[in-house]
């Protein structure tokens, strides 16, 4: 697809560009995806946490990250039990109401609730609804080969939906494009960590988030334009606590919550939308591209509560994140009813207690509308840190 679907920000000053990004992230009607479809493009929707978007891109499809929406799940509620996280319900809601139209849906068995998502989806829509089975044992010597074959299976489904055959050259070109995209996001996070007064927490989040709603070519252009402008800002440093936010690997906190936290501290690192930044180094692009993607998922990657890798113990990885970010404290959050997130809270807090690192524990829900009580608690926590 050659026509630009997110052009609102073109030829604007930085503050207006950031405003347009915030507006797009908070819009549950997915206007950019509608434009893509109006231009004749097909859409591959994928659920959290990680999906090899390069495969869908190589087939000419638009990979769209389903991360829920700040809407009431009026229609979707009848398809789920009561005690489940919001992201499952609101993701189905926006598709059921026609706000987001897909040609393919891919989910992952990341938890007991999500493992049934593709089946529920498949009973309500007539397009392919697939489960991508990421390795349960990443430490096995056969994991990369197994995952390469699983990627190949998903590629076959994508090819049928897209009506095209994906060549190795197509995949390698997409890998190169996505390598640049991940490099730019790493550069943005470096700014966020080293000079957090230059970019607010909500703006950094939105600049990453829009990548899940537009082609990566456009996302790269956006980041290539914005990052130098951010670096050129003359904003003065303030005396704020440096905080790591942990718990945004799947369901996303409301943007208002991120905005509120950004008023109280510097969020210097986080795991928000970690699936988009999962691979930490360039994926090789000169061998078997599916194997290179599979190996990179296992060997060049971050961590989350939904991957069980004995080489990446979550507590140790969190301590490393805190150390590298030079953080003063940690906010340990979890989405309501999120089994993996709530389980990890226990291990995280135990480890932080042992190391004497201050932390604040909280829960969130994507359609939260009131933050007064939480904001007061966070402000009290920050004040105690400053005067400790």
């Amino acid at each position: 697809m050659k026509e630009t679907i997110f052009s609102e920000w073109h030829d604007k000053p930085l503050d207006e560009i950031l405003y347009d990004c915030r507006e797009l992230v908070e819009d549950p009607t997915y206007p950019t995806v509608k434009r893509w479809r109006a231009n004749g493009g097909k859409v591959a929707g994928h659920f959290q946490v990680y999906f090899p978007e390069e495969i869908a891109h190589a087939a000419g499809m638009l990979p769209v990250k389903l991360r829920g929406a700040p809407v009431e799940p009026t229609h979707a509620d009848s398809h789920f039990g009561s005690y489940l996280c919001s992201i499952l319900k609101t993701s189905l809601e926006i598709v059921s109401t026609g706000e987001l139209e897909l040609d393919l849906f891919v989910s992952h068995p990341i938890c007991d609730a999500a493992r049934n998502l593709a089946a529920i989806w498949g009973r309500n829509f007539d397009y392919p609804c697939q489960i991508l089975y990421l390795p349960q044992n990443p430490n096995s010597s056969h994991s990369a080969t197994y995952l390469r074959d699983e990627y190949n299976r998903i590629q076959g489904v994508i090819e049928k939906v897209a009506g095209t055959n994906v060549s190795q050259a197509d995949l390698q070109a997409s890998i190169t494009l996505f390598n640049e995209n991940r490099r730019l996001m790493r550069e943005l996070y470096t700014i966020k960590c080293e000079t957090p007064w230059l970019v607010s927490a909500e703006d950094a989040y939105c600049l990453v988030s829009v990548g899940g709603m537009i082609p990566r070519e456009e996302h790269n252009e956006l980041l290539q334009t914005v990052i130098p402008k951010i670096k050129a800002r003359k904003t003065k440093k303030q005396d704020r606590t440096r905080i790591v936010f942990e718990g945004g690997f799947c369901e996303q906190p409301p943007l208002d919550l991120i905005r509120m936290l950004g008023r109280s501290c510097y969020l210097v690192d986080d795991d928000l939308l970690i699936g988009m930044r999962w691979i930490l180094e360039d994926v090789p692009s000169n061998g078997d591209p599916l194997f290179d993607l599979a190996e990179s998922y296992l060997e060049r990657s971050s961590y989350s509560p939904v991957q069980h890798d004995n080489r990446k113990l979550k507590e140790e990885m969190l301590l490393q994140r805190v150390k590298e970010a030079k953080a003063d404290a940690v906010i340990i959050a979890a989405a309501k009813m999120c089994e993996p997130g709530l389980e990890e809270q226990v291990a995280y807090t135990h480890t932080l207690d042992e190391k004497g690192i201050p932390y604040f524990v909280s829960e969130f829900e994507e359609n939260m509308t009131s933050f007064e009580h939480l904001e007061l608690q966070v402000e009290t926590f920050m004040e105690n840190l400053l005067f400790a």
Side-chain angles (χ1 to χ4, degrees), residues 68-97:
V71 298
E72 288 298 324
T74 307
H75 297 82
D77 255 342
S78 61
H79 299 283
F80 296 99
S82 300
Y83 299 101
L84 294 176
C85 57
S86 294
I87 186 173
L88 296 170
K89 301 177 182 180
T90 58
S91 294
L92 182 63
E93 180 73 17
I94 57 176
V95 177
S96 298
T97 57

Side-chain angles (χ1 to χ4, degrees), residues 348-366:
Y348 286 152
T349 56
H350 179 72
T351 299
L352 294 174
D353 279 333
E354 285 185 338
K355 298 296 181 179
I357 298 174
Y359 61 86
F360 176 82
V361 178
S362 178
E363 287 187 358
F364 65 84
E365 195 170 19
E366 62 192 0

Side-chain angles (χ1 to χ4, degrees), residues 31-85:
T32 52
V33 181
K34 287 183 171 66
R35 292 170 198 161
W36 176 270
R37 292 184 64 85
N39 292 337
K42 294 188 175 181
V43 179
H46 58 92
F47 193 67
Q48 301 276 34
V49 172
Y50 172 79
F51 176 74
E53 295 180 306
E54 291 90 337
I55 302 174
H57 177 272
M61 299 185 73
L62 176 66
V64 173
K65 176 171 278 297
L66 289 167
R67 79 291 294 277
V71 298
E72 288 298 324
T74 307
H75 297 82
D77 255 342
S78 61
H79 299 283
F80 296 99
S82 300
Y83 299 101
L84 294 176
C85 57

Side-chain angles (χ1 to χ4, degrees), residues 5 157 168 197 234 247 282 301 365 378:
I5 63 172
V157 176
Q168 283 206 352
W197 50 91
K234 302 300 182 183
D282 281 356
S301 54
E365 195 170 19
V378 170

